[in-house]
């Protein structure tokens, strides 16, 4: 059984909630075809202005995947805003490392360098949410413990 120490609740839950607010601000525009077209144009224009490259022309497949990703991320972020739990931070940190891996791959394939901005923020949020889970010698919490239940003492 994998045992991880649960991060200190109040400070850690503020990090979990802050990362969720960031996600809402960044991804809400990806949820619909109409808002994604605006976001796409804004990101592409920013990349062009900075000399970092533009996004590929908008097409229905790209829009579909952007809308799917935006919808899932907004729902996931809303859960973390409304009911943040330490385990939400753990899984969000893992997801951010996965996102970062695919962004790094895309950057090696020549996508617009504007992606570096998103990559950097994803890695930072991932580290902020994963590092507190490191193992320590006191008070272990397990994945099997139900959310919201107090930890059992060694006497139980």
């Amino acid at each position: 059984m994998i045992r991880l120490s649960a991060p200190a609740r109040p400070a850690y839950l503020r990090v979990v909630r802050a990362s969720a607010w960031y996600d809402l601000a960044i991804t809400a525009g990806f949820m619909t075809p109409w808002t994604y077209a605006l976001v796409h144009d804004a990101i592409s224009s920013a990349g062009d202005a900075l000399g970092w490259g533009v996004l590929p022309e908008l097409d229905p497949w790209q829009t579909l995947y952007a809308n799917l990703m935006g919808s899932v991320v907004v729902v996931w972020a809303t859960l973390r805003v409304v009911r943040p739990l330490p385990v939400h931070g753990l899984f969000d940190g893992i997801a951010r490392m996965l996102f970062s891996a695919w962004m790094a791959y895309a950057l090696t394939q020549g996508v617009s360098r504007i992606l570096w901005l998103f990559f950097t923020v994803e890695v930072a949020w991932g580290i902020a949410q994963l590092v507190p889970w490191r193992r320590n010698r006191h008070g272990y919490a397990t994945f099997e413990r139900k959310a919201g239940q107090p930890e059992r003492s060694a006497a139980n």
Side-chain angles (χ1 to χ4, degrees):
M1 172 184 344
I2 297 173
R3 293 182 155 232
L4 298 172
S5 75
R9 278 176 104 13
Y12 185 71
L13 294 180
R14 283 192 293 274
V15 171
V16 172
R17 186 174 274 134
S19 74
W21 280 114
Y22 163 81
D23 285 347
L24 285 171
I26 296 300
T27 60
F30 287 74
M31 283 184 52
T32 72
W34 310 280
T35 55
Y36 177 62
L38 297 172
V39 169
H40 177 277
D41 290 347
I43 293 171
S44 195
S45 294
D48 192 32
L50 294 168
W52 291 354
V54 298
L55 298 181
E57 288 298 318
L58 204 55
D59 68 51
W61 280 106
Q62 180 189 144
T63 301
L64 170 65
Y65 281 104
N67 297 159
L68 293 172
M69 183 273 306
S71 298
V72 169
V73 172
V74 165
V75 170
W76 171 239
T78 302
L79 170 67
R80 291 178 291 130
V81 166
V82 172
R83 184 154 163 78
L85 296 172
V87 73
H88 294 161
L90 173 64
F91 284 103
D92 191 60
I94 292 167
R96 287 180 189 281
M97 291 299 115
L98 290 169
F99 273 48
S100 298
W102 308 138
M103 288 180 188
Y105 175 77
L107 286 162
T108 68
Q109 301 302 305
V111 299
S112 170
R113 291 182 292 156
I114 198 86
L115 186 58
W116 277 105
L117 298 173
F118 296 98
F119 173 79
T120 303
V121 175
E122 285 300 310
V123 169
W125 279 122
I127 289 169
Q129 292 182 105
L130 291 175
V131 167
W133 280 91
R134 71 185 178 277
R135 184 180 291 240
N136 68 27
R137 295 184 178 139
H138 309 291
Y140 289 110
T142 63
F143 287 120
E144 290 79 26
R145 192 168 61 87
K146 291 184 179 178
Q149 286 186 342
E151 293 183 40
R152 294 182 189 182
S153 68
N156 288 345

